[in-house]
Amino acid sequence: MSKSNNYMPPKKWTWDKENGGKFANINRPISGYTSEKDLPLGKHPFQLYSQGTPNGVKITIMLEELLSLGITEAEYDAWLIRIGNGDQFTSGFVEINPNSKIPSLIDNSIEKPIRVFESGSILLYLADKFNQFIPKQFEKRTECLNWLFWQMASAPYLGGGFGHFYAYAPEKFEYPIDRFSMEVKRQLDVLDKQLLNNNYICCNEYTIADIAIWPWYGALVLGRLYGAGEFLDVKSYKNVVRWALMIDSREAVKRGRIVNRINGELDSQLHERHDAKDFISKTQDKIQ
């Protein structure tokens, strides 16, 4: 194992703004807003403020899946929150999400609008509101929620743990990369075994569990996260790969995964979505 940098924690931690890493300019140990700015407001029942990260993609996929069922009440405006620029620290955003994280949603379809934040909470809110993508039977609903909360608890090991130290940290250290690689592979093994005799994550039906898990672990085994496919030997998780490809082929998923996206091929970036026609006329290859 490589040598450590011999770092010894001080008796009292202090914030060093120059600690490095891709997101050093927006990370801070305090909450609250840093600038006064109202959020934009569109015409549709739902106002989504997000960026096309895995957590953001969960919600745009869910909304597009609802719309694909003909549920027009699920129409939405998707406003781009550039987290690298600190848009999540404006007063308007903090008002709807005191944790300053994307995605955040406002439901304006009712007399007193409701704010919903945390991606798992938003998925559950939409599933319950429209009675879709969540089992109706109590026991199956519980199993679905088991996997939804599994994703919410597990993904920080993949994103904040493995992804940070493998792809974003200013220096590479063997210990954290090894530690989080081991955990991510264990999680992939959990999914692979769950999908051995199941087409979907649970209950033999497509649910919010699949919608929550796919943007993280599906993207990982499809080679779309951190450039780590070979490193983690993702192709060996054959059941996860089969499931990921099946979800990837859904038309609503194809649309949802490009909303609020700001990287990749220009035709796969729809920075903001305010109408279904935007998928045809307002991807970045059309407007740049």
Side-chain angles (χ1 to χ4, degrees), residues 6 17 71 83 86-87 95 128 175 221-222 253:
N6 297 316
K17 293 183 181 180
I71 302 174
I83 57 178
D87 292 350
E95 185 177 354
D128 283 343
Y175 175 77
V221 300
L222 294 177
V253 172

Side-chain angles (χ1 to χ4, degrees), residues 81-270:
I81 298 296
R82 292 182 180 270
I83 57 178
N85 294 348
D87 292 350
Q88 68 275 34
F89 298 120
T90 64
S91 56
F93 193 91
V94 172
E95 185 177 354
I96 66 167
N97 187 345
N99 197 40
S100 293
K101 300 290 184 181
I102 61 96
S104 293
L105 185 76
I106 299 177
D107 181 357
N108 282 329
S109 68
I110 50 182
E111 183 178 353
K112 185 177 180 181
I114 294 177
R115 71 178 188 182
V116 195
F117 58 89
E118 292 297 328
S119 59
S121 178
I122 298 173
L123 286 177
L124 184 56
Y125 179 85
L126 292 171
D128 283 343
K129 183 179 180 74
F130 296 110
N131 200 24
Q132 298 289 342
F133 303 115
I134 190 166
K136 297 174 178 59
Q137 183 183 357
F138 179 74
E139 291 80 5
K140 290 183 177 181
R141 175 187 169 90
T142 300
E143 178 68 2
C144 178
L145 295 183
N146 288 340
W147 287 102
L148 174 64
F149 290 120
W150 175 88
Q151 187 279 316
M152 297 296 292
S154 298
Y157 289 96
L158 171 54
F162 173 79
H164 176 77
F165 287 104
Y166 182 82
Y168 300 141
E171 296 181 67
K172 299 290 190 287
F173 291 100
E174 183 178 0
Y175 175 77
I177 292 174
D178 186 59
R179 169 68 181 87
F180 288 113
S181 297
M182 177 176 63
E183 175 59 18
V184 168
K185 289 181 71 65
R186 186 193 69 81
Q187 293 172 0
L188 287 169
D189 193 49
V190 168
L191 289 176
D192 204 58
K193 289 173 179 173
Q194 176 66 13
L195 289 163
L196 177 62
N197 297 308
N198 298 285
N199 286 328
Y200 298 105
I201 294 295
C202 63
C203 310
N204 292 316
E205 61 182 291
Y206 181 59
T207 69
I208 55 174
D210 299 282
I211 294 172
I213 294 169
W214 183 84
W216 282 103
Y217 298 90
L220 183 66
V221 300
L222 294 177
R224 297 172 183 168
L225 275 185
Y226 310 125
E230 183 178 1
F231 181 77
L232 295 173
D233 190 23
V234 295
K235 292 182 180 179
S236 66
Y237 303 97
K238 297 184 183 303
N239 301 313
V240 184
V241 172
R242 183 264 310 160
W243 164 83
L245 288 169
M246 180 175 62
I247 304 300
D248 194 49
S249 69
R250 297 177 67 92
E251 291 302 317
V253 172
K254 292 177 182 179
R255 293 192 299 272
R257 68 177 294 264
I258 75 171
V259 177
N260 295 146
R261 187 178 182 187
I262 58 173
N263 53 34
E265 297 296 325
L266 294 179
D267 62 356
S268 70
Q269 297 182 40
L270 180 61

Side-chain angles (χ1 to χ4, degrees), residues 6-73:
N6 297 316
Y7 169 72
M8 290 295 294
K11 290 184 178 180
K12 183 178 180 180
W13 182 85
T14 57
W15 181 24
D16 179 5
K17 293 183 181 180
E18 304 300 325
N19 63 358
K22 183 174 181 179
F23 302 105
N25 65 315
I26 61 170
N27 290 335
R28 56 193 187 133
I30 55 176
S31 63
Y33 65 87
T34 58
S35 63
E36 292 273 1
K37 185 179 181 181
D38 293 334
L39 290 175
L41 185 63
K43 63 182 180 180
H44 293 306
F46 291 99
Q47 300 296 300
L48 176 66
Y49 303 92
S50 189
Q51 185 176 307
T53 68
N55 284 333
V57 166
K58 296 176 193 175
I59 311 309
T60 47
I61 287 177
M62 179 66 170
L63 289 164
E64 290 297 328
E65 291 282 10
L66 290 168
L67 290 171
S68 73
L69 295 177
I71 302 174
T72 57
E73 295 84 357

